Short mmCIF file of all heavy atoms in Angstrom, two decimals:
data_model
loop_
_atom_site.label_atom_id
_atom_site.label_comp_id
_atom_site.label_asym_id
_atom_site.label_seq_id
_atom_site.Cartn_x
_atom_site.Cartn_y
_atom_site.Cartn_z
N SER A 1 10.62 -4.23 -10.02
CA SER A 1 11.19 -3.05 -9.39
C SER A 1 10.61 -2.95 -7.98
O SER A 1 9.45 -2.73 -7.76
CB SER A 1 10.85 -1.81 -10.17
OG SER A 1 11.19 -0.66 -9.41
N ASP A 2 11.50 -3.08 -7.01
CA ASP A 2 11.15 -2.92 -5.62
C ASP A 2 10.53 -1.53 -5.37
O ASP A 2 9.51 -1.44 -4.71
CB ASP A 2 12.45 -3.04 -4.81
CG ASP A 2 12.25 -3.07 -3.29
OD1 ASP A 2 11.85 -4.18 -2.83
OD2 ASP A 2 12.47 -2.07 -2.66
N TYR A 3 11.10 -0.51 -5.95
CA TYR A 3 10.54 0.86 -5.84
C TYR A 3 9.22 0.97 -6.42
O TYR A 3 8.27 1.50 -5.75
CB TYR A 3 11.58 1.77 -6.55
CG TYR A 3 11.02 3.23 -6.58
CD1 TYR A 3 11.15 4.05 -5.45
CD2 TYR A 3 10.53 3.76 -7.78
CE1 TYR A 3 10.64 5.35 -5.53
CE2 TYR A 3 10.10 5.06 -7.85
CZ TYR A 3 10.17 5.86 -6.69
OH TYR A 3 9.67 7.13 -6.78
N GLU A 4 8.98 0.40 -7.62
CA GLU A 4 7.63 0.49 -8.21
C GLU A 4 6.62 -0.31 -7.51
O GLU A 4 5.42 0.09 -7.40
CB GLU A 4 7.70 0.03 -9.70
CG GLU A 4 8.43 1.08 -10.59
CD GLU A 4 7.71 2.44 -10.58
OE1 GLU A 4 6.47 2.51 -10.59
OE2 GLU A 4 8.41 3.45 -10.64
N ALA A 5 6.99 -1.45 -6.91
CA ALA A 5 6.09 -2.26 -6.12
C ALA A 5 5.57 -1.44 -4.89
O ALA A 5 4.41 -1.48 -4.63
CB ALA A 5 6.77 -3.53 -5.67
N ARG A 6 6.43 -0.70 -4.22
CA ARG A 6 6.04 0.09 -3.09
C ARG A 6 5.16 1.19 -3.57
O ARG A 6 4.16 1.57 -2.90
CB ARG A 6 7.26 0.59 -2.32
CG ARG A 6 7.90 -0.48 -1.55
CD ARG A 6 8.92 0.04 -0.56
NE ARG A 6 9.87 1.01 -1.12
CZ ARG A 6 11.00 0.69 -1.68
NH1 ARG A 6 11.40 -0.54 -1.70
NH2 ARG A 6 11.80 1.64 -2.14
N ARG A 7 5.50 1.83 -4.72
CA ARG A 7 4.65 2.93 -5.21
C ARG A 7 3.23 2.43 -5.56
O ARG A 7 2.28 3.20 -5.36
CB ARG A 7 5.34 3.54 -6.47
CG ARG A 7 6.49 4.50 -6.11
CD ARG A 7 7.10 5.08 -7.38
NE ARG A 7 6.13 5.48 -8.37
CZ ARG A 7 5.77 6.75 -8.59
NH1 ARG A 7 6.28 7.72 -7.89
NH2 ARG A 7 4.88 7.01 -9.56
N GLU A 8 3.15 1.26 -6.16
CA GLU A 8 1.78 0.65 -6.41
C GLU A 8 0.93 0.58 -5.13
O GLU A 8 -0.17 0.93 -5.15
CB GLU A 8 1.89 -0.69 -7.01
CG GLU A 8 2.38 -0.74 -8.46
CD GLU A 8 2.59 -2.16 -9.01
OE1 GLU A 8 2.66 -3.11 -8.20
OE2 GLU A 8 2.71 -2.25 -10.23
N CYS A 9 1.62 0.13 -4.06
CA CYS A 9 0.92 0.03 -2.82
C CYS A 9 0.48 1.39 -2.29
O CYS A 9 -0.64 1.53 -1.79
CB CYS A 9 1.77 -0.68 -1.79
SG CYS A 9 2.01 -2.46 -2.06
N LEU A 10 1.36 2.34 -2.39
CA LEU A 10 1.00 3.74 -1.90
C LEU A 10 -0.16 4.28 -2.72
O LEU A 10 -1.06 4.92 -2.12
CB LEU A 10 2.21 4.66 -2.00
CG LEU A 10 3.30 4.39 -1.01
CD1 LEU A 10 4.56 5.23 -1.37
CD2 LEU A 10 2.85 4.69 0.37
N ARG A 11 -0.18 4.06 -4.01
CA ARG A 11 -1.32 4.53 -4.84
C ARG A 11 -2.59 3.84 -4.44
O ARG A 11 -3.67 4.45 -4.42
CB ARG A 11 -1.03 4.34 -6.34
CG ARG A 11 0.00 5.36 -6.85
CD ARG A 11 0.11 5.38 -8.33
NE ARG A 11 0.42 4.10 -8.95
CZ ARG A 11 1.66 3.67 -9.17
NH1 ARG A 11 2.69 4.42 -8.91
NH2 ARG A 11 1.87 2.48 -9.71
N TYR A 12 -2.54 2.53 -4.14
CA TYR A 12 -3.70 1.77 -3.72
C TYR A 12 -4.21 2.30 -2.39
O TYR A 12 -5.44 2.50 -2.19
CB TYR A 12 -3.30 0.30 -3.61
CG TYR A 12 -4.49 -0.62 -3.47
CD1 TYR A 12 -5.81 -0.31 -3.78
CD2 TYR A 12 -4.28 -1.89 -2.95
CE1 TYR A 12 -6.82 -1.20 -3.64
CE2 TYR A 12 -5.32 -2.84 -2.84
CZ TYR A 12 -6.61 -2.44 -3.17
OH TYR A 12 -7.66 -3.34 -3.03
N ILE A 13 -3.31 2.62 -1.46
CA ILE A 13 -3.71 3.23 -0.16
C ILE A 13 -4.42 4.54 -0.35
O ILE A 13 -5.43 4.79 0.20
CB ILE A 13 -2.48 3.36 0.79
CG1 ILE A 13 -2.05 1.98 1.25
CG2 ILE A 13 -2.85 4.25 1.97
CD1 ILE A 13 -0.76 1.98 1.99
N GLU A 14 -3.88 5.36 -1.26
CA GLU A 14 -4.55 6.65 -1.55
C GLU A 14 -5.96 6.46 -2.09
O GLU A 14 -6.87 7.17 -1.63
CB GLU A 14 -3.77 7.41 -2.58
CG GLU A 14 -2.42 8.00 -2.05
CD GLU A 14 -1.63 8.69 -3.17
OE1 GLU A 14 -2.15 8.89 -4.28
OE2 GLU A 14 -0.45 8.98 -2.88
N LEU A 15 -6.17 5.48 -2.96
CA LEU A 15 -7.50 5.16 -3.50
C LEU A 15 -8.42 4.67 -2.35
O LEU A 15 -9.56 5.16 -2.28
CB LEU A 15 -7.39 4.13 -4.60
CG LEU A 15 -8.70 3.58 -5.13
CD1 LEU A 15 -9.47 4.66 -5.84
CD2 LEU A 15 -8.46 2.39 -6.01
N LEU A 16 -7.93 3.76 -1.56
CA LEU A 16 -8.74 3.25 -0.50
C LEU A 16 -9.15 4.35 0.50
O LEU A 16 -10.32 4.39 0.95
CB LEU A 16 -7.98 2.09 0.23
CG LEU A 16 -7.84 0.81 -0.50
CD1 LEU A 16 -6.80 -0.08 0.17
CD2 LEU A 16 -9.14 0.10 -0.63
N GLU A 17 -8.22 5.20 0.87
CA GLU A 17 -8.55 6.28 1.80
C GLU A 17 -9.50 7.30 1.20
O GLU A 17 -10.31 7.88 1.95
CB GLU A 17 -7.22 6.97 2.28
CG GLU A 17 -6.44 6.13 3.19
CD GLU A 17 -5.12 6.78 3.63
OE1 GLU A 17 -4.63 7.67 2.91
OE2 GLU A 17 -4.62 6.38 4.72
N LYS A 18 -9.47 7.51 -0.09
CA LYS A 18 -10.42 8.40 -0.76
C LYS A 18 -11.82 7.76 -0.73
O LYS A 18 -12.79 8.43 -0.47
CB LYS A 18 -9.98 8.66 -2.15
CG LYS A 18 -10.88 9.66 -2.88
CD LYS A 18 -10.43 9.90 -4.31
CE LYS A 18 -9.16 10.74 -4.26
NZ LYS A 18 -8.77 11.16 -5.70
N LEU A 19 -11.89 6.45 -1.05
CA LEU A 19 -13.20 5.79 -1.07
C LEU A 19 -13.77 5.47 0.30
O LEU A 19 -14.92 5.52 0.47
CB LEU A 19 -13.03 4.43 -1.89
CG LEU A 19 -12.74 4.59 -3.40
CD1 LEU A 19 -12.47 3.23 -3.98
CD2 LEU A 19 -13.88 5.25 -4.09
N PHE A 20 -12.91 5.12 1.21
CA PHE A 20 -13.22 4.74 2.57
C PHE A 20 -12.43 5.51 3.59
O PHE A 20 -11.43 4.95 4.06
CB PHE A 20 -13.06 3.23 2.79
CG PHE A 20 -13.61 2.44 1.69
CD1 PHE A 20 -12.77 1.83 0.73
CD2 PHE A 20 -14.99 2.19 1.58
CE1 PHE A 20 -13.31 1.05 -0.30
CE2 PHE A 20 -15.50 1.39 0.54
CZ PHE A 20 -14.66 0.85 -0.36
N PRO A 21 -12.76 6.72 3.92
CA PRO A 21 -12.02 7.53 4.88
C PRO A 21 -11.79 6.75 6.17
O PRO A 21 -12.73 6.21 6.72
CB PRO A 21 -12.88 8.80 5.13
CG PRO A 21 -13.70 8.88 3.83
CD PRO A 21 -13.99 7.45 3.43
N PRO A 22 -10.57 6.67 6.59
CA PRO A 22 -10.22 5.87 7.81
C PRO A 22 -10.88 6.41 9.04
O PRO A 22 -11.28 7.57 9.12
CB PRO A 22 -8.68 6.02 7.96
CG PRO A 22 -8.23 6.45 6.59
CD PRO A 22 -9.34 7.20 6.00
N VAL A 23 -11.18 5.49 9.98
CA VAL A 23 -11.69 5.82 11.29
C VAL A 23 -10.58 5.74 12.31
O VAL A 23 -9.57 5.13 12.12
CB VAL A 23 -12.89 4.92 11.65
CG1 VAL A 23 -14.01 5.06 10.65
CG2 VAL A 23 -12.44 3.48 11.81
N GLU A 24 -10.85 6.31 13.51
CA GLU A 24 -9.84 6.19 14.57
C GLU A 24 -9.63 4.72 14.91
O GLU A 24 -10.61 3.97 15.07
CB GLU A 24 -10.38 6.96 15.82
CG GLU A 24 -9.32 7.02 16.89
CD GLU A 24 -9.73 7.86 18.05
OE1 GLU A 24 -10.55 8.82 17.86
OE2 GLU A 24 -9.32 7.56 19.18
N GLY A 25 -8.42 4.30 15.07
CA GLY A 25 -8.05 2.94 15.43
C GLY A 25 -7.80 2.04 14.22
O GLY A 25 -7.52 0.87 14.43
N ALA A 26 -7.86 2.60 13.04
CA ALA A 26 -7.56 1.79 11.81
C ALA A 26 -6.67 2.65 10.91
O ALA A 26 -6.93 3.85 10.78
CB ALA A 26 -8.92 1.45 11.11
N ARG A 27 -5.69 2.00 10.30
CA ARG A 27 -4.79 2.68 9.33
C ARG A 27 -4.25 1.67 8.38
O ARG A 27 -4.08 0.50 8.72
CB ARG A 27 -3.71 3.47 10.05
CG ARG A 27 -2.74 2.65 10.84
CD ARG A 27 -1.60 3.46 11.41
NE ARG A 27 -0.79 2.90 12.45
CZ ARG A 27 -0.16 1.72 12.33
NH1 ARG A 27 -0.23 1.03 11.28
NH2 ARG A 27 0.66 1.31 13.30
N TYR A 28 -3.98 2.15 7.17
CA TYR A 28 -3.38 1.35 6.15
C TYR A 28 -1.89 1.37 6.26
O TYR A 28 -1.28 2.34 6.76
CB TYR A 28 -3.80 1.87 4.74
CG TYR A 28 -5.18 1.72 4.47
CD1 TYR A 28 -6.08 2.78 4.62
CD2 TYR A 28 -5.75 0.51 4.08
CE1 TYR A 28 -7.44 2.66 4.30
CE2 TYR A 28 -7.07 0.33 3.81
CZ TYR A 28 -7.93 1.41 3.95
OH TYR A 28 -9.29 1.27 3.68
N GLY A 29 -1.26 0.32 5.87
CA GLY A 29 0.23 0.23 5.89
C GLY A 29 0.64 -0.68 4.74
O GLY A 29 -0.20 -1.20 3.97
N ILE A 30 1.98 -0.81 4.60
CA ILE A 30 2.56 -1.69 3.60
C ILE A 30 3.30 -2.75 4.29
O ILE A 30 4.20 -2.47 5.13
CB ILE A 30 3.45 -0.92 2.61
CG1 ILE A 30 2.65 0.17 1.89
CG2 ILE A 30 4.17 -1.84 1.65
CD1 ILE A 30 3.44 1.11 1.00
N SER A 31 3.09 -3.99 3.94
CA SER A 31 3.74 -5.14 4.50
C SER A 31 4.88 -5.54 3.56
O SER A 31 4.64 -5.72 2.34
CB SER A 31 2.72 -6.29 4.68
OG SER A 31 3.38 -7.43 5.04
N ARG A 32 6.02 -5.71 4.08
CA ARG A 32 7.22 -6.23 3.36
C ARG A 32 7.38 -7.69 3.63
O ARG A 32 7.49 -8.10 4.78
CB ARG A 32 8.49 -5.46 3.79
CG ARG A 32 9.71 -5.81 3.06
CD ARG A 32 10.92 -4.99 3.63
NE ARG A 32 12.06 -5.09 2.83
CZ ARG A 32 12.97 -6.08 2.91
NH1 ARG A 32 12.77 -7.03 3.79
NH2 ARG A 32 13.98 -6.10 2.10
N ASN A 33 7.31 -8.54 2.56
CA ASN A 33 7.26 -9.98 2.72
C ASN A 33 8.41 -10.67 1.96
O ASN A 33 8.54 -10.47 0.74
CB ASN A 33 5.93 -10.52 2.24
CG ASN A 33 4.74 -9.79 2.85
OD1 ASN A 33 4.53 -9.99 4.06
ND2 ASN A 33 4.04 -8.98 2.12
N PRO A 34 9.16 -11.48 2.63
CA PRO A 34 10.20 -12.27 1.90
C PRO A 34 9.64 -13.35 1.06
O PRO A 34 8.58 -13.91 1.38
CB PRO A 34 11.07 -12.82 3.06
CG PRO A 34 10.10 -12.94 4.24
CD PRO A 34 9.14 -11.82 4.04
N HIS A 35 10.28 -13.64 -0.01
CA HIS A 35 9.87 -14.71 -0.91
C HIS A 35 11.17 -15.35 -1.46
O HIS A 35 12.22 -14.71 -1.45
CB HIS A 35 9.03 -14.09 -2.07
CG HIS A 35 8.43 -15.10 -2.95
ND1 HIS A 35 9.11 -15.62 -4.01
CD2 HIS A 35 7.15 -15.62 -3.00
CE1 HIS A 35 8.27 -16.53 -4.65
NE2 HIS A 35 7.08 -16.49 -4.06
N ASP A 36 11.07 -16.57 -1.97
CA ASP A 36 12.21 -17.23 -2.54
C ASP A 36 12.89 -16.38 -3.65
O ASP A 36 14.09 -16.48 -3.89
CB ASP A 36 11.84 -18.62 -3.12
CG ASP A 36 11.54 -19.58 -2.02
OD1 ASP A 36 11.87 -19.29 -0.82
OD2 ASP A 36 10.95 -20.64 -2.32
N PHE A 37 12.06 -15.61 -4.36
CA PHE A 37 12.60 -14.82 -5.45
C PHE A 37 12.89 -13.37 -5.15
O PHE A 37 13.19 -12.61 -6.04
CB PHE A 37 11.62 -14.89 -6.68
CG PHE A 37 11.34 -16.25 -7.15
CD1 PHE A 37 10.07 -16.78 -7.09
CD2 PHE A 37 12.38 -17.07 -7.62
CE1 PHE A 37 9.81 -18.06 -7.51
CE2 PHE A 37 12.12 -18.35 -8.09
CZ PHE A 37 10.81 -18.88 -8.00
#
């Protein structure tokens, strides 16, 4: 599920930001990558 894959990434970002609060000049994002499948 494309939708669920993005949601997994968003949840991971939330966890990372909670454990490691971002500093100025750094931010998390989601990379969309093509694959044969």
